[in-house]
């Protein structure tokens, strides 16, 4: 492992910052998308959210589970399960001092696969498009984790 | 982007560490709160957790969904969806070398909005208190992400 | 707080990188485990995932909730709620310049408790094995957070 203090000021670190921010922003946008589907489908999880209803019966009817809302929420959950490990392992990978081109390849493959994953999940596209997008993203993170572990010592 | 190696030893970094730790601890406390509601409401998700029941019928009756438990779990999930992006983007923002006063403003607005969000969700307070708290927190994180992306180059 | 720029190149940081990567990889492996149970139990959440079904009735029958799948998913969710706080607080703790032996104790206790937690959840083992594993992990993270906050100033 090379001198970390120099690496953190490097091109690789700047690239990581940019791609990590982009993919985390994409993940955050699933929240407003869930809100959008909740309002257009009139489907809420909390009684205090049903203020647009006029009668108590209407309020109760809005406390339901909607398949479109659940689809967006599953996509958001899948993002949490995949994008956060990418950020953690990607940061540690950046500090091992990889080549800029190799690092960019990892970051771009991951971010591209997750953008496609969201499209494939929300539309939805027929399988195996979503499954493949998920696997490619996992592969990029595993490849970075391999480099982190092989440049370490317990 | 200024010299990162000096910035990481700065006042801004110390402030980030403190506020990030506080808000992550707040998020972690949702777990014991869920446990508290599960025990007082006698409502569990796993058969092996129903040891306090005396008869097999009692055990089965405890495997249910309780609205209070679900409310705390939704609050915890919302924390995961908002606080983790804050930590990631906040760390990268800290490394761009912002003014201490601007950084403190972002960190304090975010942490304050999430503390209020938890109160508004668990009590619950009438809307739009929870919705506004969520938006203010998102706004603080988006504002930091804007600075990260504008001081970067792909 | 000592000079951060030297600490980031230290033994403690290398140890943190290794243990954080191991425990994040463990968390990521819950995704393929969920997929494995979904395929063997023929239990899916999305209509487009039921391609193995031959008739439309079979497809609908595969859109169900299976207790084994839900158990693995709850274990994955518990990982997200506990391992991500460990990574965040563990990184900040590493930067406070702790003794290597104290730091290793925290990292090993946490990672060991989470590995045992997964075994106790998926098999499952009788309680309180899972509950204790969860508490030990929380304790390690809280202990690191205490050091972070006591070496800071607001």
């Amino acid at each position: 492992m090379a001198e970390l203090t120099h690496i953190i000021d490097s091109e690789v670190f700047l690239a990581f910052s940019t791609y990590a921010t982009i993919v985390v922003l994409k993940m955050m946008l699933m929240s407003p998308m869930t809100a959008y589907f909740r309002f257009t489908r009139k489907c809420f999880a909390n009684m205090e959210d049903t203020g647009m209803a006029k009668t108590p019966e209407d309020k109760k009817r809005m406390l339901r589970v909607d398949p479109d809302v659940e689809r967006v929420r599953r996509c958001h959950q899948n993002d949490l399960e995949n994008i956060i490990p990418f950020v953690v392992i990607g940061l540690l990978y950046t500090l091992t001092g990889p080549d800029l081109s190799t690092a960019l390849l990892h970051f771009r493959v991951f971010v591209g696969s997750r953008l496609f994953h969201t499209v494939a999940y929300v539309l939805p596209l027929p399988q195996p498009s979503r499954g493949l997008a998920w696997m490619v993203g996992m592969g990029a993170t595993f490849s970075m984790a391999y480099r982190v572990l092989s440049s370490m010592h317990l």
Side-chain angles (χ1 to χ4, degrees), chain A:
Chain A
M1 187 173 242
E3 273 266 326
L4 287 171
T5 50
H6 292 163
I7 291 161
I8 206 174
D9 213 3
S10 69
E11 293 285 314
V12 177
F13 187 77
L14 294 176
F16 171 73
S17 291
T18 309
Y19 285 105
T21 303
I22 289 170
V23 81
V24 168
L25 285 176
K26 188 229 80 62
M27 180 169 78
M28 288 179 76
L29 288 176
M30 301 311 288
S31 287
M33 200 191 281
T34 304
Y36 169 79
F37 276 97
R38 283 205 183 282
F39 277 98
T40 55
R41 266 62 172 172
K42 297 199 170 107
C43 150
F44 298 95
N46 301 293
M47 188 52 99
E48 70 268 24
D49 301 350
T50 59
M52 59 162 72
K54 273 152 201 161
T55 63
E57 289 75 38
D58 270 7
K59 278 180 183 283
K60 266 184 211 160
R61 225 173 292 143
M62 287 186 186
L63 288 183
R64 59 187 183 84
V65 172
D66 179 89
D68 294 333
V69 172
E70 293 307 303
R71 178 174 287 280
V72 177
R73 292 183 63 218
R74 285 196 299 275
C75 183
H76 197 169
Q77 183 72 15
N78 197 280
D79 275 355
L80 287 171
E81 292 168 4
N82 287 276
I83 290 176
I84 299 164
F86 164 79
V87 170
V88 173
I89 291 174
L91 176 64
L92 299 174
Y93 167 79
T94 298
L95 299 177
T96 65
D99 286 341
L100 180 60
S101 58
T102 317
L104 280 174
L105 183 69
H106 281 91
F107 301 159
R108 284 173 182 165
V109 165
F110 182 85
V111 174
S113 76
R114 293 310 301 184
L115 294 177
F116 181 73
H117 181 273
T118 303
V119 174
Y121 214 147
V122 175
L123 282 182
L125 296 179
Q127 286 283 28
S129 40
R130 194 185 90 229
L132 286 178
W134 171 74
M135 272 184 215
V136 169
M138 289 277 276
T141 306
F142 278 131
S143 166
M144 293 192 298
Y146 177 78
R147 185 180 159 106
V148 172
L149 289 181
S150 54
S151 53
M152 299 292 171
H153 41 106
L154 275 186

